[in-house]
């Protein structure tokens, strides 16, 4: 239901009233903004020296850009590993063997229920004890593993629900032309399921990118860590956290827009129902 | 990270991971007498409880703003959701502690620890309110157009139509997505670790792993299963509730 049908096209009286409500609401919103600015001003947070430093090269070349590169690196690697994990366990949940289906189901449900931060801390401390890799790489590996197990499980659910969303005729046709069941999955069903799920996958990328910020807690030198170090050094922690937040918002907003446009376009290219561009369901599946 | 030695038990630290032998289970269970694991989870449950109630209130207000006929309210609501939804929760909680408290001197409680707890609740609330708003909006989308048209036809204006016709059905349709938000909130309560709430589960797990390197994997499984035990019933309950409450169409 479109939001606009909740109320009638306003008549002259309603339009006059809406102008008033609109003005009052604008004043309230602007008032909250002004109050925040006054509060900031009183504490000296609006003074030029706290902000002007962002117009110089130092914060960018030494802090924010290297931090952003680390963030994007962790996100990119985690996206690839999550996709592999998701396809393997998604196919596992669709397998014929009851054992494979059960094991994949338990693995996927387990990792969806455990907080990403808990996994990151565990892998970080555990791998540094195992002494397998250089200590400098351990936080990076912790971030990637934590992101992979959670988001891979979400991807696995997307693969499964995507295949379930296809019309039965797709598989029947594939079997009728002599494909085996595994071939039908691989060549006919999963590719269409992935296309149908593209918008949901794209919005999961936003989740991955946001969750890289958890790496801050396990000492991975990502964007938030860089912002904090810069802010602590310059005495403008509030400003530099805001700059980091704006960088995240701009990137994620772009990704969300791409997800929305994909949702409008993929409908024609698959027999399945294209998922809406919103975060996929987290609810524990009761196996309908 | 600091060098880890197994000081408490006089056992040599296991350099290559867990020391698995007959006493593994006993050593794992002995942790429960040394550390108060349920208390750690209780902190997370409290964080979740307060943040859930407050974000439900704030999220409902935001959702009403977004479906209202007043353009400036609609704009304010959607701007809030866009900004907060795209910001990592870690930044928001860190901002609450380092900027609101550290720089602006905003104190929510005179007690030092309680202050961090409430700042974490604040961070969790403002973040998840954006998702509650989206969940309610998806609930509004389950209400057929005919309902709103019928409400208008019997002469209800926006506010009575919203209160009597749309929102009751929207809440029923939003139970499943709201359940998802509650699950996400439960898991995200561990991020309070970034806001110096050192008594919650992920911080306690970190301490335990650092002091007991002989049972690292076991400790992780204790905490992981703790969350499974909390989260799975929430998922099952909201799924069942959403089917029971679903409006038959």
């Amino acid at each position: 239901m479109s939001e606009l049908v909740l109320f009638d096209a306003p008549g002259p009286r309603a339009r006059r009233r809406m102008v008033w409500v609109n003005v009052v609401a604008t004043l309230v919103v602007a008032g909250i903004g002004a109050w925040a600015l006054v509060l900031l001003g009183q504490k000296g947070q609006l003074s030029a020296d706290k902000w002007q430093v962002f117009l110089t090269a130092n914060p960018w070349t030494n802090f924010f850009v290297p931090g952003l590169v680390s963030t994007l690196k962790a996100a990119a690697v985690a996206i690839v590993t999550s996709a592999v994990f998701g396809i393997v366990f998604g196919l596992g949940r669709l397998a014929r063997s009851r054992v494979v289906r059960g094991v994949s189901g338990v693995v996927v449900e387990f990792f969806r229920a455990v907080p990403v931060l808990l996994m990151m801390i565990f892998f970080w401390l555990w791998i540094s004890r195992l002494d397998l890799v250089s200590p400098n790489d351990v936080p990076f590996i912790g971030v990637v593993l934590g992101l992979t197990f959670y988001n891979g499980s979400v991807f696995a659910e997307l693969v499964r629900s995507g295949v379930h969303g296809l019309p039965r005729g797709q598989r029947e046709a594939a079997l009728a032309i002599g494909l085996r069941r595994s071939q039908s999955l691989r060549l006919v069903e999963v590719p269409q399921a992935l296309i149908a799920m593209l918008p949901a996958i794209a919005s999961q990328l936003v989740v991955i990118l946001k969750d890289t910020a958890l790496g801050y807690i396990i000492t991975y030198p990502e964007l938030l860590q860089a912002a904090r170090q810069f802010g602590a050094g310059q005495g403008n922690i509030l400003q530099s956290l805001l700059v980091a937040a704006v960088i995240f918002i701009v990137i994620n907003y772009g990704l969300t827009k791409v997800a929305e446009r994909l949702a409008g376009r993929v409908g024609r290219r698959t027999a399945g129902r294209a998922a809406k561009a919103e975060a996929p369901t987290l609810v524990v599946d009761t196996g309908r | 990270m600091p060098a880890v030695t197994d000081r408490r038990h006089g056992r040599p630290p296991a350099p290559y991971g867990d020391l698995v032998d007959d006493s593994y289970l006993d050593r794992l269970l002995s942790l429960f007498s040394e550390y108060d694991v349920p208390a750690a989870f209780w902190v997370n449950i409290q964080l979740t409880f307060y943040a859930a109630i407050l974000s439900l209130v704030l999220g409902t207000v935001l959702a009403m703003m977004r479906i209202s006929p007043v353009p400036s309210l609609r704009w304010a609501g959607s701007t809030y959701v866009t900004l907060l939804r795209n910001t990592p929760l870690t930044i928001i909680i860190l901002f609450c502690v380092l900027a609101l408290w550290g720089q602006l001197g905003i104190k929510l409680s005179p007690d030092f620890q309680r202050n961090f707890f409430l700042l974490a609740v604040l961070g969790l609330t403002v973040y998840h309110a954006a998702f509650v708003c989206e969940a309610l909006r998806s609930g509004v989308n389950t209400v057929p157009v005919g309902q709103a048209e019928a409400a208008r036809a019997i002469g209800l204006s926006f506010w009575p139509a919203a209160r009597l016709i749309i929102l009751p059905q929207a809440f029923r349709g939003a139970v499943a997505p709201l359940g998802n938000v509650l699950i996400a909130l439960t898991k995200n309560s561990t991020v309070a670790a970034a806001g110096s709430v050192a008594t919650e589960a992920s911080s306690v797990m970190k301490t335990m792993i650092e002091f007991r390197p002989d049972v690292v994997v076991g400790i992780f499984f204790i905490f992981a299963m703790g969350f499974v035990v909390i989260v799975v019933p929430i998922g099952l309950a909201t799924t069942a509730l959403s089917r029971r409450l679903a409006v038959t169409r």
Side-chain angles (χ1 to χ4, degrees):
Chain A
M1 182 169 78
S2 149
E3 279 120 40
L4 285 170
V5 296
L6 277 182
F7 40 85
D8 253 325
R13 252 174 70 195
R15 231 176 293 158
R16 269 202 305 278
R17 204 168 58 217
M18 256 163 63
V19 168
W20 279 111
V21 178
N22 201 9
V23 167
V24 172
T26 310
L27 286 179
V28 169
V29 172
I32 293 174
W35 172 74
L37 283 179
V38 168
L39 189 72
L40 286 174
Q42 276 172 356
K43 301 281 178 184
Q45 295 293 337
L46 295 180
S47 66
D49 58 316
K50 285 193 190 290
W51 295 91
Q52 263 170 357
V53 66
F54 291 107
L55 298 176
T56 62
N58 172 41
W60 300 101
T61 53
N62 295 326
F63 293 91
F64 285 91
V65 172
L68 183 60
V69 168
S70 307
T71 290
L72 293 178
K73 197 176 84 179
V77 174
I79 287 167
V80 175
T81 50
S82 308
V84 173
F85 184 100
I87 289 185
V88 168
F89 281 90
L91 287 176
R93 291 204 79 172
L94 294 164
R96 243 181 178 166
S97 150
R98 190 173 284 183
V99 178
V100 175
R101 256 200 335 258
V103 170
S104 314
V106 169
V107 168
V108 167
E109 293 295 357
F110 176 79
F111 285 116
R112 285 200 312 164
V114 178
V116 179
L117 179 59
L118 214 63
M119 293 194 254
M120 281 190 188
I121 292 177
F122 163 67
F123 284 120
W124 171 51
L125 295 174
W126 190 48
I127 290 173
S128 65
R129 286 209 56 75
L130 293 182
D131 222 6
L132 297 173
V133 288
S134 133
N136 293 332
D137 295 337
V138 171
F140 172 76
I141 295 173
V143 169
V144 168
L145 286 180
L147 290 174
T148 300
F149 282 106
Y150 172 66
N151 294 291
S153 302
V154 175
F155 283 153
E157 280 303 284
L158 286 178
V159 169
R160 192 180 71 122
S161 61
V163 168
H164 281 314
L166 293 174
R168 256 213 325 244
Q170 295 290 327
R171 172 180 294 182
E172 286 165 0
L175 297 180
I177 60 168
L179 296 183
R180 284 193 307 275
R181 218 179 138 221
S182 60
Q183 285 176 312
S184 156
L185 264 181
R186 205 174 67 234
L187 301 172
V188 178
E189 294 169 64
V190 170
Q192 293 192 78
L194 286 180
I195 292 173
M197 288 295 145
L198 218 49
I201 290 171
S203 46
Q204 194 62 25
L205 300 189
V206 174
V207 175
I208 294 183
L209 196 67
K210 280 198 300 185
D211 281 353
T212 56
L214 291 170
Y216 164 83
I217 298 171
I218 63 166
T219 71
Y220 179 58
E222 45 70 68
L223 183 55
L224 180 53
Q225 190 82 259
R228 198 204 157 154
Q229 275 168 6
F230 178 73
Q234 300 280 323
N236 62 349
I237 190 91
L238 186 147
Q239 290 76 4
S240 78
L241 286 180
L242 278 183
V243 169
V246 168
I247 295 173
F248 270 110
I249 291 169
V250 168
I251 298 175
N252 287 332
Y253 185 73
L255 277 175
T256 312
K257 283 287 150 214
V258 170
E260 277 168 15
R261 284 193 49 184
L262 278 175
R265 288 180 57 178
V266 295
R268 276 169 280 128
R269 300 193 30 211
T270 167
R273 281 171 293 117
K276 273 181 288 171
E278 55 189 35
T281 173
L282 283 159
V283 147
V284 178
D285 201 289
T286 46
R288 265 157 287 150
Chain B
M1 56 166 291
V4 180
T5 50
D6 196 9
R7 280 172 299 187
R8 295 195 176 184
H9 294 265
R11 218 175 287 111
Y16 301 114
D18 289 21
L19 190 70
V20 182
D21 58 17
D22 294 344
S23 65
Y24 192 83
L25 203 61
D26 292 333
R27 278 181 282 137
L28 198 57
L29 290 175
S30 76
L31 286 171
F32 282 93
S33 55
E34 290 174 45
Y35 297 91
D36 200 347
V37 177
F41 277 101
W42 181 238
V43 174
N44 287 75
I45 291 173
Q46 282 178 307
L47 283 165
T48 307
F49 178 76
Y50 292 121
I53 290 178
L54 293 173
S55 61
L56 187 63
V57 173
L58 183 56
T60 309
V61 172
L62 286 168
M64 306 253 273
M65 283 165 73
R66 290 199 70 174
I67 62 172
S68 80
V70 183
S72 61
L73 288 180
R74 277 210 304 272
W75 179 85
S78 66
T79 306
Y80 179 95
V81 170
T82 307
L83 292 184
L84 271 290
R85 208 165 61 143
N86 287 320
T87 312
L89 177 62
T90 324
I91 291 196
I92 296 175
I93 290 191
L94 208 59
F95 187 87
C96 285
V97 172
L98 294 180
L100 290 190
W101 176 71
Q103 296 286 306
L104 301 179
I106 294 175
K107 266 193 187 165
L108 298 178
S109 163
D111 180 63
F112 195 64
Q113 294 300 328
R114 185 79 186 155
N115 185 38
F116 286 137
F117 177 87
L118 292 176
L119 284 169
V121 169
L122 175 69
L124 289 169
T125 300
V126 294
Y127 179 75
H128 289 94
F131 293 91
V132 169
C133 171
E134 290 304 277
L136 288 177
R137 244 164 44 100
S138 76
V140 170
N141 284 334
T142 64
V143 182
V145 185
Q147 295 286 324
E149 286 170 348
R152 293 209 307 271
I154 59 170
L156 297 179
S157 61
F158 169 73
W159 180 240
R163 192 164 48 89
L164 297 170
I165 312 289
I166 308 296
L167 282 182
Q169 298 186 60
F171 268 110
R172 285 165 161 240
V175 169
L178 282 176
N180 291 336
V181 178
L182 182 60
I183 289 173
L185 172 57
T186 312
K187 300 195 308 174
N188 283 338
S189 65
T190 52
V191 184
S196 312
V197 180
T199 47
E200 57 79 46
S202 71
S203 316
V204 171
M205 184 186 84
K206 182 163 169 267
T207 316
M208 285 169 69
I209 289 180
E210 279 171 355
F211 281 103
R212 290 299 298 271
D214 55 320
V215 282
V216 174
V217 178
I219 293 171
F220 171 67
F221 266 97
I222 290 174
F223 280 89
M225 287 319 288
F227 275 98
V228 171
V229 166
I230 297 174
V231 161
V232 169
I234 298 178
L236 294 176
T238 50
T239 311
L241 198 65
S242 76
R243 279 195 207 139
R244 258 188 76 158
L245 291 179
V247 182
T248 317
R249 310 229 184 259

